[in-house]
Amino acid sequence: MAPGKRKNSGTKKMNKTFKGKIALITGSSQGIGKAIALELGSLGATIALNGRNPAKLQKTNEELQKSGIATLLVPGDITKFDVCEQIVSKIILEFGQLDILVTNASITAAGNFAELPIEIFKTAMDSQFYGSVFPVKAALPDIRRSKGSIIMISSLAGLFGLPKHSAYSCGKMALTAFSQSLQTEERNSGMHIGIAYVGFTRNDSEKRVLNQAGEWCEVPQRPPALQQSPATVARGIAGMIMHRKQRKVFSAIGKTQNLIIRFTPWIFRIISKRF
Ligand SMILES: NC(=O)c1ccc[n+]([C@@H]2O[C@H](COP(=O)([O-])OP(=O)(O)OC[C@H]3O[C@@H](n4cnc5c(N)ncnc54)[C@H](OP(=O)(O)O)[C@@H]3O)[C@@H](O)[C@H]2O)c1
């Protein structure tokens, strides 16, 4: 079987688990967000597609529509709270409900903290942290009403701070605390809140990260054996929503790292120097 292919892909079209559900996926014009949009859409959800670049968003929209997925375009910068409120209002005006929110959009700054200008650190940290907090705050009353799901996309950097990724790691770790607080606060509301610690994933060719000089740079590809496909990650996210899982560490490598971090963090500190 070709890698990434579903054993029972024939039954997928029949499986409309999310039929009638409205899902907002932030940063869904490319990469993991786009794969989640395709996965939830193929399982019957109507997808509110978000990103800042309208041309990229339009291209992804055409791709989804060709696959028979119903969509609504909600462009905008999710690091701005008023924009998040407008996005949610547009969805409610159009459909009257919001059932699923996946906070996926974020940017990364790469470089040692000592050399990273503080404004670049803050931009990346804001994107990682408030890029989830703002959409959650804007969508919470509607997701609570629908007893729906919120999934925050974190990373292995949310389990252990990675070198050259201090702002990224801080933002992802802050999401752990945020999700835990919400899970306890909302335990009787019928809402589901989950956090996904995604492992190394094959990057979209369009993916760029900020370097120390504030330039957008291509990301070097990691060895294929270390990476999951975006489609595999997307299936894991759909599973979290279906089974209302609160926490999931992705990939065999991620699960092994999680164990090393928990029991022998000094070993992980040595390994992580190679990242
Ligand atoms: N790739 C990996 O190996 C990996 C591993 C673990 C976790 N993750 C996490 O998974 C998520 C997606 O990663 P990815 O690799 O798929 O990223 P990506 O290829 O860079 O895609 C990011 C998406 O978010 C959008 N975006 C970025 N900032 C935004 C903003 N302020 N407002 C609205 N949209 C915004 C981008 O579109 P525009 O630029 O047009 O706005 C794009 O659609 C991130 O949270 C990342 O930290 C990735």
Side-chain angles (χ1 to χ4, degrees), residues 25-34 36 50-54 56-57 60 74-80 83 87 103-108 127-128 131-132 152-157 168 172 175 196-209 216 219 222 227-228 230 233:
I25 299 146
T26 68
S28 38
S29 58
Q30 69 183 53
I32 294 171
K34 177 178 166 184
I36 297 170
N50 162 260
R52 293 163 302 179
N53 180 324
K56 225 164 47 175
L57 208 56
T60 302
V74 285
D77 183 346
I78 47 78
T79 62
K80 298 185 166 73
V83 172
I87 287 172
T103 66
N104 165 79
S106 74
I107 58 152
T108 306
S127 163
Q128 292 302 330
S132 278
M152 300 178 209
I153 303 294
S154 184
S155 143
L156 300 180
Y168 183 73
K172 293 299 194 198
L175 289 184
Y197 297 96
V198 174
F200 295 144
T201 308
R202 201 172 57 242
N203 286 320
D204 195 292
S205 58
E206 299 279 323
K207 182 167 175 126
R208 301 288 181 272
V209 300
W216 291 99
V219 192
R222 302 180 190 101
Q227 303 185 106
Q228 286 197 303
V233 174

Side-chain angles (χ1 to χ4, degrees), residues 136 140 144 148-154 174-197 240 243-248:
V136 168
L140 194 109
R144 196 192 265 152
S149 284
I150 293 175
I151 298 283
M152 300 178 209
I153 303 294
S154 184
L175 289 184
T176 296
F178 180 50
S179 64
Q180 288 167 345
S181 298
L182 275 188
Q183 282 163 353
T184 310
E185 286 174 11
E186 297 294 330
R187 67 192 178 285
N188 295 324
S189 70
M191 234 169 84
H192 158 232
I193 293 148
I195 182 160
Y197 297 96
M240 282 184 80
H243 304 296
R244 297 178 90 80
K245 274 192 86 150
Q246 291 195 326
R247 180 182 190 276
K248 180 176 166 78

Side-chain angles (χ1 to χ4, degrees), residues 89-125:
S89 296
K90 187 172 175 185
I91 294 169
I92 298 302
L93 195 69
E94 185 76 19
F95 304 112
Q97 70 188 74
L98 177 58
D99 306 279
I100 297 165
L101 167 66
V102 182
T103 66
N104 165 79
S106 74
I107 58 152
T108 306
N112 284 333
F113 177 72
E115 281 79 48
L116 204 63
I118 203 66
E119 59 277 13
I120 294 182
F121 184 96
K122 188 171 182 311
T123 302
M125 174 77 189

